[in-house]
Amino acid sequence: MTKTVRIRDIAAACGVSPGAVSRALKGQPGLREETRLRIIAVAEQQGYDFSRLRSDKIKRVLFLLHRQHNISRAMPFYSPLFLSLESACREQGIALSFLSIGPGDAVADRVMLHQPDALICAGFFEPELLALLEQLKLPLVLVDLWAPNLPCINPDNMQGGYLATRHLLEQGRKRIAFLASTLSHYSIHQREKGYRKALYEAQLLMPPEYEAIAPPQLDTERSLRQAIDELLALPEPPDAIFAYNDATALLVLQACAQRDLRVPEDIAVVGFDDIETAAWAQPALTTLAVDKDRLGQQALEILLDNKTDTNLLLPVHLMIRASSGA
């Protein structure tokens, strides 16, 4: 019969007190980062059952965004998700807090200031940063992101990219560009795959310059504007642009207005996310609607049900408005 590994066994192996081991395993403050990581490594080597730490009811959840996001531009999408999550947490008697972090931070120290029982990560996180969060041994759910062996919930990004591109094809567009800030983010890459799938089915091949990926710069908006300028300055510019999100599609509408390009007569535009300002734009923006409320609610359900192998896709639907010519 396998011997149960106890806290005092780990303490003896590490040369620290049982109280220090308890704080390290529960993610509580009061330890240096290297001490915490050494205790957790020894606990893993000895086969400590970390699930014993999750027997208590979740009382505090920490919602994390990457500092790489331009937070002001990201919040029109993530605010409804966060508010929905907060409402669901309140119904369960759970406190919700918010933190933006990056790989240069003392991740464990910043997270543990909130003393969370569980984490929800939304949007882009590089694998190295996710690995640091996993070392905290807290229940973790990804929203709008996928990573191996972690529970997650996403909009059906590939289907959304497919629907957006097929809609433009059905409007008679022949030169359809895809515009994005990067392809390293899982969600954006899936949208690009949907774009390519629709073109493949239509037996169309776009020139490589029609896949416009913004040059890497600290200012994402500036780099996107550069990519838009390059697209519109092509000898044969696109007659339609599928932008990876609504904030970028709105930049396209601004650029077109500055050049006296008529939307949708000269060029059609489709976005993704259905943020509130998409309907207010002139012309109103055709977009893929994401149920942000449901994303937040189901992320909490995954946490509370401890569904460690969950990979949920939420359907998206096309909101047809004036910018696509329908």
Side-chain angles (χ1 to χ4, degrees), residues 144-145 154-155 157-158 185-192:
D144 192 31
L145 179 64
N154 283 280
N157 292 292
M158 183 173 174
H185 185 350
Y186 168 80
S187 296
I188 302 173
H189 184 57
Q190 291 295 304
R191 293 171 195 184
E192 187 260 355

mmCIF file of all heavy atoms in Angstrom, residues 144-145 154-155 157-158 185-192:
data_model
loop_
_atom_site.group_PDB
_atom_site.id
_atom_site.type_symbol
_atom_site.label_atom_id
_atom_site.label_comp_id
_atom_site.label_asym_id
_atom_site.label_seq_id
_atom_site.Cartn_x
_atom_site.Cartn_y
_atom_site.Cartn_z
ATOM 1 N N ASP A 144 -11.267 32.078 -23.915
ATOM 2 C CA ASP A 144 -10.731 32.681 -25.143
ATOM 3 C C ASP A 144 -9.261 32.319 -25.312
ATOM 4 O O ASP A 144 -8.446 33.124 -25.746
ATOM 5 C CB ASP A 144 -10.924 34.201 -25.106
ATOM 6 C CG ASP A 144 -10.659 34.866 -26.457
ATOM 7 O OD1 ASP A 144 -10.905 34.222 -27.489
ATOM 8 O OD2 ASP A 144 -10.202 36.020 -26.464
ATOM 9 N N LEU A 145 -8.920 31.089 -24.963
ATOM 10 C CA LEU A 145 -7.555 30.581 -25.077
ATOM 11 C C LEU A 145 -7.604 29.066 -24.941
ATOM 12 O O LEU A 145 -8.472 28.521 -24.236
ATOM 13 C CB LEU A 145 -6.656 31.173 -23.983
ATOM 14 C CG LEU A 145 -5.195 30.716 -23.945
ATOM 15 C CD1 LEU A 145 -4.459 31.138 -25.213
ATOM 16 C CD2 LEU A 145 -4.484 31.290 -22.716
ATOM 17 N N ASN A 154 -14.154 28.499 -25.318
ATOM 18 C CA ASN A 154 -13.854 29.431 -26.400
ATOM 19 C C ASN A 154 -15.076 29.654 -27.275
ATOM 20 O O ASN A 154 -15.908 28.749 -27.428
ATOM 21 C CB ASN A 154 -12.742 28.868 -27.288
ATOM 22 C CG ASN A 154 -11.366 29.001 -26.691
ATOM 23 O OD1 ASN A 154 -10.755 30.060 -26.750
ATOM 24 N ND2 ASN A 154 -10.868 27.924 -26.093
ATOM 25 N N PRO A 155 -15.181 30.833 -27.894
ATOM 26 C CA PRO A 155 -16.096 30.953 -29.027
ATOM 27 C C PRO A 155 -15.620 30.019 -30.139
ATOM 28 O O PRO A 155 -14.438 29.682 -30.195
ATOM 29 C CB PRO A 155 -15.964 32.420 -29.448
ATOM 30 C CG PRO A 155 -15.203 33.099 -28.373
ATOM 31 C CD PRO A 155 -14.400 32.066 -27.663
ATOM 32 N N ASN A 157 -14.185 30.001 -32.947
ATOM 33 C CA ASN A 157 -13.481 30.984 -33.764
ATOM 34 C C ASN A 157 -13.327 30.546 -35.219
ATOM 35 O O ASN A 157 -13.454 31.358 -36.136
ATOM 36 C CB ASN A 157 -12.117 31.264 -33.149
ATOM 37 C CG ASN A 157 -12.210 31.989 -31.826
ATOM 38 O OD1 ASN A 157 -12.606 33.147 -31.782
ATOM 39 N ND2 ASN A 157 -11.860 31.309 -30.748
ATOM 40 N N MET A 158 -13.050 29.283 -35.429
ATOM 41 C CA MET A 158 -12.872 28.808 -36.801
ATOM 42 C C MET A 158 -14.181 28.922 -37.580
ATOM 43 O O MET A 158 -14.198 29.389 -38.728
ATOM 44 C CB MET A 158 -12.369 27.372 -36.802
ATOM 45 C CG MET A 158 -12.089 26.829 -38.190
ATOM 46 S SD MET A 158 -11.303 25.205 -38.128
ATOM 47 C CE MET A 158 -11.273 24.795 -39.871
ATOM 48 N N HIS A 185 -1.817 34.100 -31.192
ATOM 49 C CA HIS A 185 -2.948 33.893 -30.284
ATOM 50 C C HIS A 185 -3.851 32.812 -30.866
ATOM 51 O O HIS A 185 -4.252 32.870 -32.031
ATOM 52 C CB HIS A 185 -3.706 35.206 -30.108
ATOM 53 C CG HIS A 185 -4.830 35.170 -29.111
ATOM 54 N ND1 HIS A 185 -5.310 34.014 -28.540
ATOM 55 C CD2 HIS A 185 -5.571 36.177 -28.580
ATOM 56 C CE1 HIS A 185 -6.303 34.308 -27.729
ATOM 57 N NE2 HIS A 185 -6.476 35.619 -27.725
ATOM 58 N N TYR A 186 -4.200 31.832 -30.062
ATOM 59 C CA TYR A 186 -5.021 30.695 -30.495
ATOM 60 C C TYR A 186 -6.291 31.156 -31.203
ATOM 61 O O TYR A 186 -6.627 30.661 -32.289
ATOM 62 C CB TYR A 186 -5.368 29.829 -29.277
ATOM 63 C CG TYR A 186 -6.441 28.792 -29.544
ATOM 64 C CD1 TYR A 186 -6.120 27.597 -30.182
ATOM 65 C CD2 TYR A 186 -7.759 29.005 -29.155
ATOM 66 C CE1 TYR A 186 -7.096 26.648 -30.432
ATOM 67 C CE2 TYR A 186 -8.742 28.060 -29.403
ATOM 68 C CZ TYR A 186 -8.408 26.886 -30.031
ATOM 69 O OH TYR A 186 -9.377 25.952 -30.280
ATOM 70 N N SER A 187 -7.023 32.092 -30.595
ATOM 71 C CA SER A 187 -8.304 32.515 -31.167
ATOM 72 C C SER A 187 -8.127 33.128 -32.557
ATOM 73 O O SER A 187 -8.908 32.844 -33.477
ATOM 74 C CB SER A 187 -8.992 33.519 -30.239
ATOM 75 O OG SER A 187 -9.321 32.922 -29.009
ATOM 76 N N ILE A 188 -7.109 33.974 -32.710
ATOM 77 C CA ILE A 188 -6.890 34.634 -33.997
ATOM 78 C C ILE A 188 -6.491 33.604 -35.053
ATOM 79 O O ILE A 188 -6.955 33.657 -36.209
ATOM 80 C CB ILE A 188 -5.820 35.723 -33.869
ATOM 81 C CG1 ILE A 188 -6.230 36.744 -32.820
ATOM 82 C CG2 ILE A 188 -5.587 36.410 -35.215
ATOM 83 C CD1 ILE A 188 -5.144 37.762 -32.504
ATOM 84 N N HIS A 189 -5.644 32.670 -34.664
ATOM 85 C CA HIS A 189 -5.217 31.636 -35.611
ATOM 86 C C HIS A 189 -6.409 30.803 -36.082
ATOM 87 O O HIS A 189 -6.501 30.440 -37.265
ATOM 88 C CB HIS A 189 -4.165 30.744 -34.957
ATOM 89 C CG HIS A 189 -3.603 29.710 -35.873
ATOM 90 N ND1 HIS A 189 -3.000 30.020 -37.067
ATOM 91 C CD2 HIS A 189 -3.561 28.349 -35.778
ATOM 92 C CE1 HIS A 189 -2.601 28.910 -37.670
ATOM 93 N NE2 HIS A 189 -2.938 27.883 -36.914
ATOM 94 N N GLN A 190 -7.331 30.502 -35.172
ATOM 95 C CA GLN A 190 -8.528 29.752 -35.558
ATOM 96 C C GLN A 190 -9.401 30.553 -36.522
ATOM 97 O O GLN A 190 -9.987 29.992 -37.456
ATOM 98 C CB GLN A 190 -9.329 29.370 -34.306
ATOM 99 C CG GLN A 190 -8.648 28.342 -33.415
ATOM 100 C CD GLN A 190 -8.503 27.002 -34.096
ATOM 101 O OE1 GLN A 190 -9.456 26.403 -34.549
ATOM 102 N NE2 GLN A 190 -7.266 26.529 -34.174
ATOM 103 N N ARG A 191 -9.511 31.841 -36.318
ATOM 104 C CA ARG A 191 -10.296 32.679 -37.231
ATOM 105 C C ARG A 191 -9.662 32.691 -38.626
ATOM 106 O O ARG A 191 -10.366 32.662 -39.638
ATOM 107 C CB ARG A 191 -10.409 34.101 -36.655
ATOM 108 C CG ARG A 191 -11.229 34.141 -35.388
ATOM 109 C CD ARG A 191 -11.190 35.472 -34.652
ATOM 110 N NE ARG A 191 -11.697 35.296 -33.295
ATOM 111 C CZ ARG A 191 -11.870 36.262 -32.407
ATOM 112 N NH1 ARG A 191 -11.582 37.513 -32.735
ATOM 113 N NH2 ARG A 191 -12.328 35.979 -31.196
ATOM 114 N N GLU A 192 -8.338 32.746 -38.648
ATOM 115 C CA GLU A 192 -7.635 32.704 -39.936
ATOM 116 C C GLU A 192 -7.856 31.371 -40.643
ATOM 117 O O GLU A 192 -8.015 31.318 -41.873
ATOM 118 C CB GLU A 192 -6.141 32.961 -39.694
ATOM 119 C CG GLU A 192 -5.316 33.120 -40.946
ATOM 120 C CD GLU A 192 -4.561 31.851 -41.315
ATOM 121 O OE1 GLU A 192 -4.618 30.873 -40.530
ATOM 122 O OE2 GLU A 192 -3.941 31.820 -42.383
#
